[in-house]
Amino acid sequence: MTYVVTVDALIPKNTPEMDPLQRAGAVALIEDGFASVEAIEGPDGMEVDLLDTIVAVYPGGALLKVFVDAAALEFAEEAVRSVVGELLERSELLADWQIERCEVELHPELAQESLAAADGPDAPPDDLADRKARHTERPTPEDDSDGYDAGARAEMVRGQMLALADELRSFPAVMFGVLDNNDDDEEEDAIEFATSPEAAKLAAGALVYATDILVDELFQDVHTLTEEDTTAAECDGPLCHFEDLPERYALQYDARFARRFLVTLIAMTTRFTDGSFQQLSCVAEELALKLLLTETHVTLEIFGLLDDGVSAALDAFADNVYEDMDHEWLYDDSMDGIDESAVGAALGVAPMAFKAWFTPFNEDRYVHPSAADEPERAAHTGGHA
């Protein structure tokens, strides 16, 4: 069975965070190490096949997704922990890193369902797309009669989101439309349309909650495109998100693009949570944020938590983070090429051609080295000053 093992590897405590050059070096060392491995010896000599790996390095360490074929979950986790530990020890740069987590992530309720169902008539579907659809459906009245408490489940998720809100360190409540208490001159109309602190906190936590879902689903999309060696336009397998990017470029969304886009999302959301975010860096980040906002809305809606206040808070967040909405033109074929036209120049539209998606808007913007590796880079001369 194929398992996806998540590994968190952290740099030593009390050491400076890695700069961009060090992060690029860490990516190369880890990827080269995995490239030399074809199979891993698991417990009791059991062979575990290494199918694919995805590496995302951030200032404080690395997040790895390792796809393996193993007889059991425990074999997969133990084998991956062993090989990652060995790869780290081989490198002078990485030898002191610590493996913080190495596990196959299973939602506890879904894992319990799988164990209870075993091979019986209620066993969850084998197909990943069918399984995802089944578990994201809103519970029906029949489900409620069998003991599913939708209200209790929603309240539990709400509590989890509220607990996660403080992790969104880059954005104070005012970014979600909450009035600044230090301003005594707020107009009456502004007060009437202000977001409540409670709604803003739930919106912030929902963004963090949805980030975890989005990252995992994009990892799965990368694996699907890699396995089929195809593009989003031609892929037979289920894709969670790459079909939601501008359709006109679907033939360009191959496994390499998918990896770069995933790394871009991780780099962006890392800046969201570590307090260092200032501005979106490139077109790819603008599109990644669009996917994250959609995932956040969908997740809140699934659990019945998307009321008018939370929706307004997310709208305010989007308005404050986006400098403009030019990227929406990528979804409108009639606007193709506007960035290269006289009208686009007059409006200050930044280049939006596909080859420019991972190019920083200017020299002050940060794009992860693993994403910004195009040999041909488009110069950005307009917009996003």
Side-chain angles (χ1 to χ4, degrees), residues 117-129:
D119 294 325
D122 295 325
D126 293 331
D127 182 77
L128 289 175

Side-chain angles (χ1 to χ4, degrees), residues 66-104:
V66 185
F67 296 78
V68 295
D69 187 13
L73 181 151
E74 293 79 10
F75 292 168
E77 292 179 340
E78 187 168 337
V80 170
R81 178 179 288 275
S82 174
V83 76
V84 171
E86 184 177 338
L87 294 180
L88 296 178
E89 290 176 5
R90 287 182 193 171
S91 168
E92 182 178 349
L93 176 64
L94 310 177
D96 294 330
W97 285 30
Q98 300 294 318
I99 298 177
E100 179 75 9
R101 176 173 61 125
C102 181
E103 63 182 1
V104 175

Side-chain angles (χ1 to χ4, degrees), residues 225 230-232 250-259:
L225 290 171
T230 188
T231 67
L251 285 170
Q252 305 285 340
Y253 305 150
D254 57 10
R256 180 171 177 275
F257 167 84
R259 289 171 183 269

Side-chain angles (χ1 to χ4, degrees), residues 179 184-195:
L179 292 182
D184 297 328
D185 299 324
E186 295 290 353
E187 296 183 3
E188 188 173 330
D189 289 345
I191 295 175
E192 181 180 352
F193 291 103
T195 304

